[in-house]
């Protein structure tokens, strides 16, 4: 938040028109006689060491109520004292403290005044209000007492900048705001008002730039002005915290998006005549990456290797495991492994990296010969790819020798089947999210592989190919399901034309 424009007199920003007016604080607390009531019971620790606590009446009843910040998060809504003289009675019950400065009863504020001579200050006697609305005041003569009195129910600190600094600067020079910086480190979640000499505008403005919510001139204070300044400072602190949390949340979301985007594969097909297309739709809301994974690489001998897989589940842990398996597959493939040997090694990776022994992954690998007319196929509990060739209907490749999913059976084997592709073809690999969507009246049936094959045949007959075909397939499956699919969906297609 930018620092407010320095003012020439001690008027809080809410009163001067530079910020919205703060809500009025309502509700009785302590003595309602209108005088100053000493708290002899030791309301806070450290009272016997020189600190004191008094209950002082609040501002005039004509103060303007301001709306609460609209972007306040759920956590922020529970922070601090609730405001508004016309609050719903059901909301007037005390709330538990979740962080410093948030344990006072609803409708009451507690001020900690740190001044070397609080008894002689004109501030306390003039905090009188005939309406009887109290602001609780604790006083500390030095920072040691202040630290003892800074309990969870304190909302605002009024700090005299003339107090001696706890330490000197590293270069031996005096820092005029050293005491303020010390208090800000001591109470990072509390609103702070800086009290300075009359006319010392520059020092007050610098205090705001350092971190105070506002500054006041000592000789121009009165009860109503200080009361409004306290409530403005508390609301501004809450608004600043809400905005900071929102900014941090946005930055985390952006970082996560960049990370997930970077984890999606870049096909390595340089020198290959095959065309590549892929579509990916994670089942998690607002996610870019799910438990499905795929990759395609071309090895130096001209063979094109394609893979698609699915880790059971579709949360962030499954997404991370899917990325590990994809990277391991690429490394092993480039190292020359394929078929049963490659899948056996991937199973070892899965067994070492999974968080639970129940987690498994299905996988389909295809290695296409350099001439593009035939391929080797290995299935580990995964649906068989769809092959489309000119002049005949699209059909699934054989799946009779489908092996178990990775992570289910120790020492399992995965036979490699040889399949003929022909001179011109389209090969589509997909995960079960594409075939498990609901269809029909009442959405009681699954689309299944037969429904998916019929859908793709129709789309091919309409002239759809490559990326356009995959987009239409995923969108139609979603529409048939009556809304977003709950499972991750990954689908890739390799095309060869003469």
């Amino acid at each position: 938040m930018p620092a407010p424009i320095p003012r020439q007199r001690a008027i809080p920003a809410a009163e001067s028109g530079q910020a919205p007016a703060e809500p009025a604080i309502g509700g009785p607390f302590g003595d309602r006689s209108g005088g100053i009531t000493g708290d002899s019971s030791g309301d806070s620790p450290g009272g016997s060491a020189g600190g004191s606590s008094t209950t002082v009446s609040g501002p005039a009843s004509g103060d303007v109520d301001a709306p609460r910040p609209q972007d306040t998060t759920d956590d922020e809504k529970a922070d601090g004292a609730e405001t508004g003289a016309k609050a719903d009675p059901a909301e007037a019950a005390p709330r538990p403290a979740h962080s410093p400065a948030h344990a006072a009863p609803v409708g009451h504020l507690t001020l900690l005044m740190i001044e070397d001579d609080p008894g002689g200050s004109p501030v306390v006697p003039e905090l009188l209000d005939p309406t009887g609305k109290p602001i609780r005041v604790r006083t500390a003569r030095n920072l040691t007492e202040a630290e003892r009195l800074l309990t969870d129910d304190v909302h605002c600190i009024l700090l005299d900048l003339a107090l001696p600094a706890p330490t000197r600067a590293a270069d031996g020079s005096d820092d005029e705001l050293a005491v303020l910086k010390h208090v800000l480190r001591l109470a990072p979640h509390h609103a702070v008002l800086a009290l300075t000499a009359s006319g010392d505008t520059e020092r007050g403005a610098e205090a705001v730039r350092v971190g105070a919510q506002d500054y006041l001139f000592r000789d121009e204070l009165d009860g109503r002005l200080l009361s409004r300044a306290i409530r403005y400072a508390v609301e501004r602190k809450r608004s600043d915290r809400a905005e900071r949390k929102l900014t941090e949340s946005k930055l985390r979301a952006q970082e996560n998006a960049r990370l997930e985007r970077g984890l999606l594969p870049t096909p390595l097909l340089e020198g290959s005549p095959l065309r590549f297309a892929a579509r990916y739709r994670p089942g998690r809301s607002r996610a870019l990456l799910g438990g499905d994974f795929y990759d395609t690489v071309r090895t130096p001998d001209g063979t094109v290797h394609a893979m698609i897989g699915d880790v059971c589940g579709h949360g962030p842990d499954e997404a991370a495991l899917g990325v590990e398996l994809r990277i391991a597959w690429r490394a092993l493939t480039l190292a020359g492994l394929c078929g049963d040997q490659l899948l056996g090694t991937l199973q070892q990776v899965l067994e070492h990296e999974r968080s639970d022994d129940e987690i498994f992954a299905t996988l389909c690998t295809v290695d296409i010969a350099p001439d593009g007319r035939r391929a080797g196929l290995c299935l580990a509990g995964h649906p068989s790819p769809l092959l489309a060739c000119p002049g005949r209907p699209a059909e699934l490749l054989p799946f009779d020798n489908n092996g178990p999913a990775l992570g289910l059976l120790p020492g399992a084997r995965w036979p490699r089947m040889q399949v003929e592709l022909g001179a011109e073809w389209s090969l589509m690999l997909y995960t079960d999210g594409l075939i498990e969507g609901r269809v029909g009246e009442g959405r009681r049936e699954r689309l299944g592989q037969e429904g998916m094959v019929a859908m793709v045949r129709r789309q091919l007959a309409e002239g759809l190919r490559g990326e356009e075909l995959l987009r239409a397939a995923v969108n139609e499956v979603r529409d048939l399901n009556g809304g977003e699919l709950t499972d991750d969906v990954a689908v890739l297609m390799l095309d060869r034309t003469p």
Side-chain angles (χ1 to χ4, degrees):
M1 294 286 288
I5 300 174
R7 299 174 298 284
Q8 299 303 317
R9 54 186 293 270
I11 302 177
E15 188 174 4
S16 65
Q18 298 181 19
E22 74 291 333
I25 304 300
F29 187 90
D31 184 16
R32 297 180 56 87
S33 63
I36 304 169
T37 304
D39 189 352
S40 61
S41 62
D43 172 69
S44 60
S48 60
S52 64
S53 177
T54 60
T55 301
V56 189
S57 55
S61 60
D63 288 347
V64 179
D65 288 346
R68 294 171 60 101
Q70 295 301 311
D71 58 350
T72 303
T73 62
D74 290 340
D75 289 338
E76 291 299 325
K77 290 178 182 177
D79 287 347
E82 293 296 329
T83 61
K86 297 180 181 180
D88 191 305
E91 297 179 355
R95 299 192 182 199
H98 297 287
S99 58
H102 310 302
V106 174
H108 297 275
L109 291 176
T110 300
L111 172 71
L112 175 60
M113 184 169 61
I114 309 174
E115 194 177 18
D116 56 358
D117 186 18
S121 171
V123 172
V124 173
E126 293 192 14
L127 273 179
L128 301 177
D129 186 350
T131 65
K133 296 178 182 177
I135 292 180
R136 204 170 196 176
V137 178
R138 294 178 183 173
T139 57
R141 293 173 297 187
N142 52 53
L143 295 178
T144 301
E145 288 183 6
E147 188 169 358
R148 289 197 298 267
L149 293 172
L150 190 61
T151 53
D152 286 352
D153 59 344
V154 172
H155 300 89
C156 185
I157 299 172
L158 179 63
L159 174 65
D160 186 357
L161 296 182
L163 281 174
T167 58
R168 294 178 65 86
D171 59 1
S173 62
D174 290 327
D175 184 352
E176 290 186 342
L177 298 178
V179 64
L180 172 62
K181 295 174 182 178
H182 180 82
V183 169
L184 292 175
R185 288 192 297 269
L186 185 67
H189 301 297
H190 294 72
V192 177
L193 288 171
L195 188 63
T196 186
S198 179
D200 196 356
T201 303
E202 184 61 32
R203 192 179 188 186
E206 182 63 24
V208 174
R209 283 192 287 270
V210 168
Q213 273 60 59
D214 207 343
Y215 67 91
L216 300 169
F217 296 142
R218 182 183 295 104
D219 299 336
E220 297 183 15
L221 282 179
D222 57 46
R224 184 174 183 273
L225 177 64
L226 179 58
S227 193
R228 292 174 64 84
I230 291 169
R231 289 177 292 161
Y232 164 70
V234 169
E235 287 302 316
R236 179 175 176 180
K237 184 68 175 181
R238 293 169 66 183
S239 179
D240 288 347
R241 291 183 62 200
E243 182 174 346
R244 184 170 61 253
K245 286 187 176 182
L246 180 61
T247 301
E248 291 173 353
S249 177
K250 288 180 178 179
L251 289 175
R252 282 194 300 268
Q254 292 172 0
E255 290 174 356
N256 290 340
R258 286 195 297 269
L259 176 62
E260 291 185 333
R261 200 174 294 113
L263 292 175
L264 290 173
T266 301
L268 300 180
L269 290 175
E270 185 176 358
S272 172
L274 302 182
R275 294 182 302 175
F276 173 88
R279 294 289 292 176
Y280 197 100
R281 187 188 295 272
R284 290 184 295 143
S285 175
R286 300 180 181 178
L288 296 177
L289 203 63
D292 292 1
F293 54 98
Y294 65 89
D295 205 351
T296 305
V297 299
R298 181 177 183 266
T299 49
D301 64 355
T303 302
V304 173
H305 303 262
M307 171 271 291
I308 195 165
D310 182 4
V311 178
C312 64
H314 48 269
D317 293 336
E318 290 77 8
L321 182 56
V323 170
E324 292 182 84
L325 293 176
R326 179 186 66 77
I327 295 173
W329 176 87
R330 175 175 285 199
L332 294 171
T333 299
L334 293 175
L337 275 66
C338 67
D340 189 73
Q341 187 179 14
L342 184 148
L343 291 175
T345 307
L346 283 180
Q347 175 159 279
Q348 294 180 35
V349 173
L350 172 67
E351 291 171 347
H352 283 90
E353 298 297 329
R354 63 186 176 184
S355 59
D356 190 287
D357 290 343
E358 301 297 322
I359 294 178
F360 63 90
T362 66
L363 197 69
C364 169
T365 67
V366 175
D367 54 279
I368 302 170
D371 63 7
R373 292 178 170 272
R374 61 188 184 280
L377 172 66
C378 286
L379 298 174
H382 199 87
S384 183
L386 178 70
L387 177 64
C389 299
R392 67 174 189 262
E395 59 183 0
L396 298 174
L397 291 179
F399 51 88
D400 297 338
N401 291 327
N402 197 336
L406 302 182
L408 291 183
L409 300 176
R413 304 298 299 272
W414 296 271
R416 178 176 177 273
M417 297 173 285
Q418 190 77 17
V419 295
E420 295 297 326
L421 301 177
E424 183 177 356
W425 46 264
S426 296
L427 186 64
M428 190 175 82
L429 285 66
Y430 54 93
T431 57
D432 59 7
L434 189 67
I435 61 177
E436 291 189 350
R438 300 288 180 172
V439 297
E441 185 178 354
R443 307 291 193 278
R444 291 190 296 267
E445 299 178 0
R446 299 282 188 182
L447 174 64
Q449 285 182 293
E450 292 183 0
M452 184 268 295
V453 171
M455 177 187 68
V456 173
R457 284 177 178 174
R458 174 171 42 79
Q459 293 168 344
L460 286 169
E462 295 171 357
L464 301 181
R465 296 290 185 275
E467 176 72 24
E468 190 178 14
L469 172 64
L470 299 186
R471 184 185 303 109
V474 173
N475 289 340
E476 183 169 338
V477 169
R478 182 192 59 191
D479 294 341
L480 291 172
N481 189 63
E484 289 295 337
L485 301 166
T486 58
D487 198 4
D488 305 324
V489 177
V491 55
L492 68 88
M493 179 168 283
L494 292 169
D495 293 296
R496 183 178 188 271
T497 56

